Amino acid sequence: SDIRTKPADVSYLYNYPSEITDAKKVYRVENFLEGFAPEPTDPTLEGYIFTGWYQEPDCINKWNFSDNGVALNKKYMNLYAGWKLNEQ
């Protein structure tokens, strides 16, 4: 069967820097049937610039919403927000 027809759940973890206390804030999409995870509105955090969604908390591999489907053969997937200090 085609993975794109199976329901999937994606959690977008805001992955705040360690000095921010609300590190567990999550945006979740449950049981979507498309082959590509929907791209949420960019999160905001005062004093930081959002750098994109990544496959791991350390923000090494950026997730490309137009190229990377949920075809990781997983029903559940986590994506992590990346941040850099706004030095302006």
Side-chain angles (χ1 to χ4, degrees):
S1 69
D2 188 342
I3 188 72
R4 289 173 294 178
T5 63
K6 295 180 181 176
D9 298 339
V10 179
S11 294
Y12 302 88
L13 290 91
Y14 287 8
N15 199 33
Y16 291 142
S18 59
E19 63 267 22
I20 304 298
T21 57
D22 189 14
K24 303 260 186 207
K25 188 171 182 183
V26 173
Y27 170 72
R28 184 164 302 166
V29 177
E30 296 179 343
N31 296 318
F32 74 92
L33 296 174
E34 294 82 13
F36 292 89
E39 184 169 3
T41 303
D42 290 353
T44 59
L45 178 61
E46 187 174 346
Y48 289 84
I49 298 169
F50 173 69
T51 61
W53 294 102
Y54 295 82
Q55 297 179 47
E56 59 282 308
D58 294 339
C59 299
I60 298 165
N61 296 295
K62 196 167 188 177
W63 186 260
N64 183 323
F65 285 89
S66 60
D67 293 338
N68 299 122
V70 181
L72 298 172
N73 296 321
K74 294 181 181 179
K75 182 175 178 183
Y76 305 100
M77 182 176 72
N78 291 330
L79 293 175
Y80 301 87
W83 303 98
K84 70 176 182 178
L85 193 59
N86 185 353
E87 299 186 31
Q88 291 184 353

